[in-house]
Amino acid sequence: GAVVSQHPSWVICKSGTSVKIECRSLDFQATTMFWYRQFPKQSLMLMATSNEGSKATYEQGVEKDKFLINHASLTLSTLTVTSAHPEDSSFYICSAQTGAGNTIYFGEGSWLTVV
Amino acid sequence: SQQGEEDPQALSIQEGENATMNCSYKTSINNLQWYRQNSGRGLVHLILIRSNEREKHSGRLRVTLDTSKKSSSLLITASRAADTASYFCATRSTGNQFYFGTGTSLTVIP
């Protein structure tokens, strides 16, 4: 079946640095990808929707200059957390939508710890 | 916010008992889905119920949907220790964004 891969699964970075998380659709072309954030013991919150070749649409309250999303190809979207702070530490999950049938697949998530 | 709410927030039961969790949502939907998440892991899709359906079964799972009340319930029968996880309902917008409920943390005691 379709698989969405996230990399890295775990990342630790220092405050003030930037970190990039990749979301890949391994065996299908994803016209749209979504990024979610989840704090411990809380629900998933949609951050942004990215369409291949265009700018991402951010949910209210999500800083687009802080969370840079690039969807340069039909199989890859990246989320870059810029100038990371400890409060950015969270679990980030992406999902990808196939063009046909609009099926959505979720990645396994990426743990970010900012120290 | 389009986030739904679930109750209870946490549920602890003995193995073999049934577990029921409820979800309320805010918008009109085409379908509602339930997901499971083990601690620190990704989401596992459990079941989808369409807006024109009232009840759906899958193995030990039973889902109901009441669109007039904008609510759904997930029943897990004959629970097992391996069912311990967080369970989320999710509604899907016309733009295909998912809006998740607040989740229920289920603990099944062996």
Side-chain angles (χ1 to χ4, degrees), chain A residues 34 36 38 41-46 49 59 91 93 97 101-104 106-109 111, chain B residues 1-3 6 35 37 39-44 88 92 95-103:
Chain A
F34 307 89
Y36 296 83
Q38 185 181 30
K41 299 189 185 301
Q42 294 189 25
S43 186
L44 285 79
M45 298 298 293
L46 178 66
T49 303
E59 295 293 298
F91 190 52
I93 300 179
Q97 173 190 330
N102 291 327
T103 305
I104 304 284
F106 283 86
E108 275 291 303
W111 278 103
Chain B
S1 169
Q2 297 191 49
Q3 185 179 37
E6 289 179 60
Y35 286 84
Q37 184 182 37
S39 180
R41 302 295 302 276
L43 298 174
V44 174
F88 296 93
R92 185 168 166 177
N96 292 315
Q97 293 94 344
F98 274 67
Y99 294 98
F100 287 85
T102 48

Side-chain angles (χ1 to χ4, degrees), chain B residues 81-95:
Chain B
D83 294 329
T84 295
S86 292
Y87 292 83
F88 296 93
C89 65
T91 56
R92 185 168 166 177
S93 74
T94 53

